[in-house]
Amino acid sequence: MNRAAAIVAFGGTVALILTIAVLVPRFAFNLYDEGVYFYEGALWARGQTPYADYFVPQPPGIVMIGAASDLGGIGISGSRAVSLACSLVATSWATAA
């Protein structure tokens, strides 16, 4: 696969993930943890400090994703898209091995 085809494939994959994350009904991704992670990030984006102002048992990367989603105005859909992308990557790695 040449570079241009790889870029088009990557862009198509990102577009598909974002479309699924936004359009799939909420009940399909109704995971409790996802909402908690997003809310922790939203608190950080609104000026509170993780680990000092509120309890966060996870590493800071999860909070950063939620904060970026909140600051970007896309809400929990951005967190869902990242979650779905990570799941797809992990699945592809597991099946390729």
Side-chain angles (χ1 to χ4, degrees), residues 1-7:
M1 180 183 305
N2 63 21
R3 182 173 170 85
I7 292 171

Side-chain angles (χ1 to χ4, degrees), residues 9 13 18 20 25-27 38 49 53 55-56 78 90:
T13 303
L18 290 175
I20 290 171
R26 189 174 285 265
F27 64 84
F38 170 72
T49 305
D53 294 334
F55 177 70
V56 180

Side-chain angles (χ1 to χ4, degrees), residues 3-82:
R3 182 173 170 85
I7 292 171
V8 169
F10 179 75
T13 303
V14 168
L16 177 65
I17 289 170
L18 290 175
T19 301
I20 290 171
V22 171
L23 297 179
V24 171
R26 189 174 285 265
F27 64 84
F29 291 103
N30 192 11
L31 300 174
Y32 173 78
D33 292 341
E34 188 175 75
V36 172
Y37 299 155
F38 170 72
Y39 189 67
E40 290 169 351
L43 288 174
W44 189 27
R46 296 171 189 170
Q48 294 190 18
T49 305
Y51 311 105
D53 294 334
Y54 58 94
F55 177 70
V56 180
Q58 292 83 20
I62 292 173
V63 179
M64 289 178 193
I65 293 167
S69 297
D70 189 56
L71 289 172
I74 53 178
I76 198 166
S77 296
S79 295
R80 285 187 181 143
V82 171

